[in-house]
Amino acid sequence: MIRARPFLAALCCALALAALEAQQPPTTPAPPPEGQPPVTFKVEVNYVEIDAAVTDAQGNFVRGLTKEDFEVLEGAKPQSISVFSLVDIPVQKVDAPIFATAPIEPDVRTNRREFDGRVFVLVLDDLHTHPTRTPRLRAAARQFVERYLGANDFAAVVTTGGSKTASQNFTTSRRLLVRAIDGFMGQKLRSATLEKLNQLPRPVPGMSGPTDPFTMERAYKARSSLGTLKGVAEFMAGIRGRRKAVVFFSEGIDYDISNPIQNRDATDVLYEMKQAVAEAGRSNVSFYAIDPRGLSGFDEAIEISSLPEDNSLGVHTLQDEMRMAQDSLRMLAEETGGFAAVNRNDYRETFSRIIADNSSYYVIGYYSSDTRRDNRFRDVVVRVRKPGLQVRARRGYTSPRSRPAAPASPASSGTSPELREALNSPLPVAGLGLTASAAPFRGEGNKGSIAVTLEIDGSQFKFTEKGDRVIGAVELSMVAFDAGGVGRDGGRDRVELTLRPQTRDAIVSRGVRITRRLQLAPGNCHLRIGARDAGSATLGTVMLDVDVPDFSKAPLVMSGVVLAASGAAGVPTARADDELKGVLPAPPTTVREFARSEEIATFVEVYDNQVRTPHTVTISTRVLADDGTAVFQTSEERRSEEIGAAGGGYGHAARIPLKALSAGRYVLRVEARSSLGGDKAGTAMRELEFRVR
């Protein structure tokens, strides 16, 4: 059996969410581009979705087609097109400040715009990448992320071997994706040819010739890699209205499936390959295979120092191994609507084509007239009635064998089935507008105390009148996962709203704010937050990644930055953060665009781990214009004696009037610097972007 992968466990959060609930007490979204479908997640039993790329004689994508221009045949039977739309996604470039060497990641996340990007999962096949070629794979994967992903794209990283350090949940952060890629390490077995040559001229006793001692392990690794592809495709089935792509970085399956008589596991490996392709077809997922060996990928040949006496072994069998491995990549890609890139050192054309494939296409959905669930392949042909045009689409799909799962029964307590389903979706769900931030502070023991601020669009709330009051309620669920996909903290709230009419009007116009603290261990955590208005049943989810520092290691460690603003002070707050009440003039806000008439207030804590030696720490707050010019700055000097021998933190607050600032983008930079010199010198810094209108 193929063991569960930590990445897939991280993505499927339903069980962890349910476990956490048992421990806990109970702006209008922008429309999507015209003609472009929203991303949805519910899947009907016999619904089939096909992506079709239509090109002219010069290979240019053809826009402006209508549903009537297409014909869909399943098993030679015409099908009625129910869903039709053009997806035309721009590549949004990352916009860094002029003075910055790298983009500054936003410290807030929102679902108030429909998702308008591409969806990628990078599967790094450590089971079939030789350790010495690890740098090549890392370089290729980094190139794809750093140069080709748009700012509007969601991507995730998973390894076939289940590495926690080389996994990353869906994110728009290139930094986190690259960090996962850098944690990759190949663990491919040595070539079967070389293992056999080691036995010459003395074969294994009782055998007619040299044998591969690792044949069973090769079969296991082959099934594991293919099982990972199948699992990723199955998970992505829930995303509808977008093409989904798996970029498979691999040297190919290291097992000979062409000779099932000699290789007893060949049938099982081939079955797993067919299952991966079938699941990709059902889920409308395309595999793109990238062989990182390049043109110089024949490294094993250097280990053959002389011609062996056994003519059945040698360079030609090494070549056969590579050919079979690359054939497996071609099969996986071509059978799922993608392509394989082998025997090349330059991936620029390859990556550009992957982006183009997933940027412009037509989405065609229909309800199959064949409702049998017989696990058989169904041929699908997509045609364009206009002459001179070519259409490229997958050739069909395999119907599922099992019966559809029964709908979940409503729970009497805990998260509602509707919100649970939304939280399990791979991407944020638009609907009820949410904006969230999470600032890590030092908590008890070695954990971080994460100050979560959530602001909810109140314009879609539905209230009922009761006497001189109006009644409403908001259901809130959140769960945080560590890098291994284990739920670490979270829970469920139901915020009851019993309001005067004027307060209701404030919520409808300005929204409502909710704060909460989570206790998380050091490391990267993936946080999912969902909210549902009980009156209208409108819901939404938002996702963000939180880097929780180890507050005890570095000489100086800075908390996250929390920010309040005079213009956001009037937002009704259902639950204020008690620890921030005394240091900010108003509850923290997720707003990052302000009027010039406003004043913003910031607060951080700086933790000093070198108090045994008397020293000072200078903490400064600066506002930098887009060209790096400081338009505001303030600083203070703190002495280590303030926090004593036990260690602790310095609180640092600043008030920043905006009236002197011109409209535009700015960077808030908070920096701490110790007076200790030499190896004990310590610095810490946080930056966030905001805008003035």
Side-chain angles (χ1 to χ4, degrees), residues 47 147 180 198 311 427 475 494 530 542 628 664:
Y47 178 74
R147 300 185 186 179
N198 277 354
N311 292 329
L427 304 178
E475 176 190 4
R494 182 179 173 89
V542 66

Side-chain angles (χ1 to χ4, degrees), residues 80-281:
S80 177
I81 298 176
S82 302
V83 175
F84 177 84
S85 57
L86 167 66
V87 174
D88 208 359
I89 304 172
V91 178
Q92 294 181 7
K93 299 299 183 182
V94 177
D95 184 21
I98 296 173
F99 71 87
T101 58
I104 298 173
E105 292 184 10
D107 66 317
V108 299
R109 297 292 179 181
T110 185
N111 71 343
R112 300 194 186 209
R113 283 193 59 187
E114 281 282 358
F115 172 65
D116 62 349
R118 286 151 288 266
V119 182
F120 297 103
V121 175
L122 279 61
V123 177
L124 312 183
D125 192 6
D126 49 346
L127 300 181
H128 295 98
T129 300
H130 196 276
T132 60
R133 290 189 284 271
T134 292
R136 296 181 188 174
L137 188 146
R138 288 178 182 171
R142 284 185 63 126
Q143 182 183 11
F144 180 75
V145 169
E146 294 176 335
R147 300 185 186 179
Y148 293 89
L149 281 188
N152 52 331
D153 295 339
F154 263 77
V157 178
V158 57
T159 65
T160 55
S163 168
K164 293 181 180 180
T165 59
S167 295
Q168 173 58 47
N169 215 308
F170 278 108
T171 182
T172 59
S173 170
R174 297 184 181 190
R175 175 182 60 85
L176 294 177
L177 294 169
V178 167
R179 185 167 69 184
I181 292 168
D182 287 345
F184 170 86
M185 178 60 68
Q187 50 178 309
K188 181 181 179 180
L189 294 171
R190 191 165 177 256
S191 162
T193 294
L194 297 179
E195 292 293 346
K196 292 177 182 178
L197 286 172
N198 277 354
Q199 299 172 20
L200 295 176
R202 296 182 299 278
V204 176
M207 303 297 292
S208 59
T211 61
D212 176 15
F214 299 108
T215 182
M216 293 183 63
E217 187 174 352
R218 291 185 205 279
Y220 169 77
K221 289 190 172 186
R223 295 195 304 270
S224 295
S225 292
L226 295 168
T228 299
L229 290 175
K230 176 178 179 292
V232 170
E234 185 176 17
F235 175 75
M236 296 173 77
I239 306 173
R240 298 286 170 174
R242 285 292 183 279
R243 191 171 192 181
K244 294 94 66 177
V246 169
V247 186
F248 185 43
F249 292 87
S250 172
E251 296 179 10
I253 301 303
D254 182 27
Y255 193 83
D256 183 3
I257 59 176
S258 65
N259 190 350
I261 296 177
Q262 182 176 349
N263 302 309
R264 63 179 186 179
D265 291 311
T267 301
D268 292 339
V269 174
L270 183 59
Y271 174 79
E272 290 291 346
M273 183 174 292
K274 291 180 177 179
Q275 287 294 100
V277 170
E279 191 57 53

Side-chain angles (χ1 to χ4, degrees), residues 39 60 96 191 232 352 403 406 643 662 671:
V39 178
N60 301 314
S191 162
V232 170
S352 294
R403 295 188 176 276
I643 55 178
S662 303
E671 189 171 10

Side-chain angles (χ1 to χ4, degrees), residues 266-439:
T267 301
D268 292 339
V269 174
L270 183 59
Y271 174 79
E272 290 291 346
M273 183 174 292
K274 291 180 177 179
Q275 287 294 100
V277 170
E279 191 57 53
R282 281 191 291 265
S283 305
N284 199 23
V285 172
S286 297
F287 294 155
Y288 297 88
I290 312 296
D291 186 345
R293 285 176 290 198
L295 292 173
S296 59
F298 206 41
D299 303 339
E300 286 86 350
I302 199 172
E303 296 188 45
I304 302 179
S305 56
S306 60
L307 292 176
E309 296 179 7
D310 187 342
N311 292 329
S312 66
L313 296 173
V315 174
H316 64 286
T317 53
L318 286 175
Q319 292 173 328
D320 288 342
E321 288 179 15
M322 176 179 286
R323 175 185 53 79
M324 287 186 293
Q326 292 180 339
D327 284 347
S328 71
L329 296 179
R330 293 187 181 96
M331 175 186 171
L332 288 166
E334 293 170 3
E335 291 296 320
T336 59
F339 58 84
V342 300
N343 299 325
R344 63 186 67 182
N345 291 330
D346 189 344
Y347 297 107
R348 288 177 294 181
E349 181 182 349
T350 298
F351 293 156
S352 294
R353 185 179 167 191
I354 292 174
I355 296 298
D357 263 11
N358 290 272
S359 296
S360 299
Y361 49 90
Y362 291 92
V363 175
I364 301 170
Y366 67 93
Y367 292 90
S368 174
S369 58
D370 189 346
T371 59
R372 293 174 298 171
R373 301 174 66 83
D374 53 9
N375 199 40
R376 291 182 179 274
F377 185 79
R378 310 275 173 78
D379 290 299
V380 177
V381 177
V382 180
R383 296 173 180 167
V384 180
R385 292 189 171 97
K386 290 187 175 183
L389 300 182
Q390 302 293 324
V391 60
R392 183 162 58 89
R394 60 187 171 102
R395 298 192 294 266
Y397 69 97
T398 302
S399 68
R401 174 179 293 162
S402 59
R403 295 188 176 276
S409 58
S412 58
S413 63
T415 302
S416 63
E418 297 84 2
L419 187 54
R420 185 187 299 276
E421 181 182 9
L423 283 167
N424 287 336
S425 298
L427 304 178
V429 176
L432 185 61
L434 308 177
T435 307
S437 66

Side-chain angles (χ1 to χ4, degrees), residues 42-110:
K42 291 185 71 65
V43 182
E44 300 294 336
V45 173
N46 63 330
Y47 178 74
V48 180
E49 193 169 87
I50 301 284
D51 301 329
V54 182
T55 54
D56 59 20
Q58 289 72 42
N60 301 314
F61 182 77
V62 178
R63 296 170 175 82
L65 300 178
T66 66
K67 180 172 67 173
E68 287 69 29
D69 294 322
F70 286 84
E71 180 183 17
V72 178
L73 303 175
E74 182 180 305
K77 294 181 180 180
Q79 303 294 313
S80 177
I81 298 176
S82 302
V83 175
F84 177 84
S85 57
L86 167 66
V87 174
D88 208 359
I89 304 172
V91 178
Q92 294 181 7
K93 299 299 183 182
V94 177
D95 184 21
I98 296 173
F99 71 87
T101 58
I104 298 173
E105 292 184 10
D107 66 317
V108 299
R109 297 292 179 181
T110 185

